[in-house]
Amino acid sequence: MSRRVLAVLLENEPGALSRVVGLFAQRNYNIETLTVAPTEDATLSRVTLSTDGSDEKIEQITKHLNRLVDVVKVLDLHEAACVERELMFVKINAQGPDRAEVKRTCDIFRGQIVDVTATAYTVQLTGESRKLDAFIRALDRSAIIEVVRSGVSGISRGEKVLSA
Amino acid sequence: MSETLSGADMLVRALQDEGVEYLFGYPGGAALHIYDAIFKQQKVEHILVRHEQAATHMADGYARATGKPGVVLVTSGPGATNAITGIATAYMDSTPLIVISGQVPTSQIGTDAFQETDMVGVSRPVVKHSFLIRDCAEIPRTIKTAFHLATTGRPGPVVIDVPKDTTDPDITAPYDYPESIRLRSYKPAKRGNGRQLRKAAKALVEAERPIIYSGGGVVQGDAGPALTRLAHRLGAPVTNTLMGLGAFPGDDPQFIGMLGMHGTYEANMAMHHADLIFAVGARFDDRVTNNPDKFCPDARIIHVDVDPTSISKIISADIPIVGDALSVLEELDALLETELAGHSERPGAAASKAWWGQICEWRDAYGLDHVMKPREDGVILPQQVIQSLYRATKGNAYVTSDVGQHQMFAAQYYKFPEGRRWINSGGLGTMGFGLPAAMGVQFAYPQATVACVTGEGSFMMNMQELSTCLQYGLPIKIVCVNNQALGMVKQWQDMQYSGRHSESTYSDSLPDFKTLVEAFGHVGFRIDHTSDLDAAMDEAFSAKLKDKVVFVDVWVDPDEHVYPMAIKGGSMRDMYLNKITTSQQGDYM
Ligand SMILES: Cc1ncc(C[n+]2csc(CCOP(=O)(O)OP(=O)(O)O)c2C)c(N)n1
Ligand SMILES: [Mg+2]
């Protein structure tokens, strides 16, 4: 079992995404994160999804995705070197003596404070999912007010491309 | 200059341009513009069914018998949901179907309008693809694409949901029917990979204990003759799945019967002991493999399928070949021909003689002729009903079936000369499939002998179609293996629940089927003694009753079980052979 990231080029049609999501539910595969947006070509969407499973399972998922009529191409990003990033916002209780501590932790992780009130900071952080997890762990659990994560987006390094 | 037509007229015109002969359907509010367009033309004949589920099975039967797509038209809401069972049935067995459903007007979608169902959503897990029409101008291209998708690659059902406003007679658009369709996201495999083919050819000529395991894909791909040629060249034993029966002739000496849960002893034993399994258009279904962990321990596996998702899904293949069954079999046969040229026999041939000797021993010990014990008191055994049917029709009928014991007996005892002759719901196992499917076949081939083997339980799930048979003069012969019970359920209860027949019997409340079919305007017989069986069967198929629906209600031994039967959790060689014997005592190798 390992975490895997799949990039999927999809016809930008109504219902296309529901077929992808439906496939995972129907075949009892897990979706851990999912991001989707149109590409520079407005007729195509690009989905990045992370899941876990053995090599055989990932191969089956890939084949099933390819079988969907709306799916143009699928790439297992972990097949070769890739860049993966995730965006996170965390609203953190920052009052009294803790306020400086939150700021320091944020600096260590190269987070940006994007909103400030008298009692809270909202921190923006980008990076690999592991780094985001580490930031959460570094904070005092009870100080966290709200967390939102974008899910992973990824792209291959070097010459390798995913295009129609 | 292209013509300008309303959405409804375009839809019907597109069906004409696709060469559609029959449209199986049932009207309702959301489809009425389309029905009006149908009324105005003669080319596409609409068949008025009595239930939408039956419309989909009819179209499915038509498609399985001809290889052409079956086309269905239903209204929104309940019309659409009634069609779902038939769509799922077609999906599981990969038959090409186009299902057009009416939908509430676009402006009302999402408002819980009268008879609104999200048909695209409800059908999503059981279709190859689906469309929601947004503008009448999309109709021609969408229909072309739907036919292309349904019939190419691994075939399957495609739904087109048509909101009522897009068929409005007052809104028109130019009609141009595309010649062909290219989709950047859909490129079904055709030819197999050359290197893999050569590897497969080498493995086949060297094999000492080879077996050919062929499935529905060979029937669908019309590759039966190609398979037969290759099998004859190799001299290897052939087994067919429930879906693949007929692809290799049932009376060929190399045929060793169906395999799997109710497969023959010799087919299952041969699979288990093979050193090479050549699987074509089959998917290692759980009803075939029994416990995948114990599956065929010594075998290398060549797996040919047009759908890459079927390969290594359950059992990992040593030589996977993605491609169309016909193209792969033809190329492989040509390779074998060159490979064998100059040799008097193939390298594995000597060992294969011993292999055939072993298979014949298995057949002589527990072949189908030995698992059935005719009774001396005149009580009819269900197997005898099929034997009698085979005799009366000389093996030349199209046979559809329902689901249950009678289905397995038909698969075991009727020998099909070619593909597309045996039509049953293998994947979904849909009771109620048999009669409407037979009707679809009879529409396709009005002169052919079409028999529906059914059980009294299954028959009652779509018997309203007897009325449709009368309307269109479809002379189906219905052979009801009446065991006064949900026999297959009862068998499992006998074997796994110490004989507790929970909700599987109803003998006190069965209708008198003879009177019932007479009320529908047809002919009925009822028999319950072996001495009457052949005569009744002959009369049913006689010239005198050629134009009639005949229902032969055969009362059989209610306690008979289907054997062999796989022992759950075991390997393919683990079978119950009758009520007291299992194969585990008779292990030969
Ligand atoms: C629609 C549907 N419901 C339930 C079942 C489960 N089932 C499988 S076989 C069977 C009994 C069928 O009875 P009958 O048609 O009389 O055939 P028999 O087994 O007695 O030959 C049942 C209930 C099914 N296959 N399909
Ligand atoms: Mg019965």
Side-chain angles (χ1 to χ4, degrees), chain B residues 405-406 455-457 481-487 506:
Chain B
Q405 291 183 319
H406 62 276
E456 76 302 320
V481 182
N482 189 337
N483 53 10
Q484 307 106 63
L486 302 174
Y506 41 41

Side-chain angles (χ1 to χ4, degrees), chain B residues 325 523 526 581:
Chain B
V523 177
R526 177 183 158 167
T581 321

Side-chain angles (χ1 to χ4, degrees), chain B residues 334-348:
Chain B
L335 285 174
L336 289 177
E337 191 174 6
T338 4
E339 191 100 8
L340 295 175
H343 295 268
S344 59
E345 52 179 19
R346 66 179 184 84

Side-chain angles (χ1 to χ4, degrees), chain B residues 390-463:
Chain B
Y390 181 68
R391 190 196 47 77
T393 56
K394 303 180 185 64
N396 276 323
Y398 284 84
V399 178
T400 71
S401 106
D402 268 298
V403 174
Q405 291 183 319
H406 62 276
Q407 174 191 27
M408 292 303 135
F409 289 131
Q412 290 177 331
Y413 288 88
Y414 201 100
K415 302 187 192 89
F416 296 94
E418 58 181 16
R420 305 197 177 281
R421 291 300 184 111
W422 161 243
I423 290 170
N424 82 130
S425 164
L428 198 66
T430 309
M431 290 171 67
F433 176 81
L435 174 61
M439 295 163 67
V441 178
Q442 192 82 78
F443 275 116
Y445 302 120
Q447 300 308 319
T449 303
V450 183
C452 164
V453 174
T454 188
E456 76 302 320
S458 295
F459 182 69
M460 286 192 281
M461 283 209 177
N462 262 324
M463 64 183 180

Side-chain angles (χ1 to χ4, degrees), chain B residues 133-173:
Chain B
I133 301 286
R134 282 160 300 176
D135 185 303
C136 71
E138 292 175 2
I139 288 177
R141 199 187 140 79
T142 304
I143 292 191
K144 182 78 200 176
T145 311
F147 274 85
H148 176 60
L149 291 173
T151 53
T152 53
R154 179 177 184 168
V158 176
V159 161
I160 309 173
D161 202 27
V162 189
K164 191 167 183 182
D165 53 304
T166 66
T167 54
D168 188 330
D170 296 331
I171 302 173
T172 59

